[in-house]
Amino acid sequence: MESLSGDHTGDPAGNRSDIRDFLTRASVAMLRAEAGRAPHDRALRELVGELSTLSPDFRTMWASHDVRIRLEGGKRLDHPEAGRLEMTFRSLNLPLPQRAVHELVIYTAEPGTPSEDRLKLLAGWTAPQTSPTRSVRSGG
């Protein structure tokens, strides 16, 4: 379970084991949610089987039947050029034919924050260059 529970927190204070446990349980609960969405996914079933065989902790967590789906919340993103972006997100499941599901995740920055300024900077980098408009007159 170490691969699921590695230190993703950067917390030097010793709270890592509690945070690691929370992240591990959340990961297993999200995996269970995916298994519910795709009950016939062979690769997913094989992954669950392998983790169950290798990890007593995983077996215990899987047997608890916890399911977690986060549809909204906050996320911190570190962009190599723009820096840290504190974003809110909302996730929408878009059902498609043949039981396929696509997830659309929308990220926004709170108005008036440095994150909004950084996001506008990034948007400006990708905006198409426009040429000056010229006046078109008819009739002559």
Side-chain angles (χ1 to χ4, degrees):
M1 292 307 298
E2 190 61 38
S3 63
L4 289 176
S5 61
D7 180 18
H8 305 286
T9 64
D11 178 13
N15 297 337
R16 288 186 181 145
S17 107
D18 290 341
I19 294 169
R20 195 174 301 137
D21 183 58
F22 169 79
L23 291 174
T24 302
R25 290 181 184 285
S27 297
V28 173
M30 286 187 278
L31 185 62
R32 185 167 272 291
E34 286 305 311
R37 279 192 228 190
H40 304 292
D41 185 326
R42 183 176 180 183
L44 185 56
R45 285 194 323 261
E46 288 174 0
L47 174 64
V48 169
E50 182 178 348
L51 291 170
S52 296
T53 301
L54 297 174
S55 171
D57 290 339
F58 180 85
R59 275 194 305 275
T60 300
M61 288 180 225
W62 188 257
S64 72
H65 295 277
D66 290 338
V67 175
R68 177 169 297 173
I69 300 172
R70 275 191 78 197
L71 299 176
E72 58 186 46
K75 194 158 284 234
R76 185 177 301 146
L77 307 171
D78 290 313
H79 189 276
E81 301 293 328
R84 175 152 292 168
L85 298 164
E86 300 283 341
M87 309 289 286
T88 57
F89 74 90
R90 179 164 298 247
S91 177
L92 305 167
N93 290 324
L94 306 173
L96 297 173
Q98 289 127 12
R99 296 184 149 181
V101 176
H102 280 60
E103 184 176 27
L104 174 66
V105 182
I106 303 165
Y107 288 91
T108 58
E110 292 296 322
T113 63
S115 292
E116 181 190 36
D117 295 338
R118 292 179 184 131
L119 197 58
K120 285 179 181 177
L121 175 69
L122 288 172
W125 289 350
T126 60
Q129 299 298 319
T130 58
S131 60
T133 58
R134 20 180 215 130
S135 176
V136 177
R137 294 184 184 190
S138 60

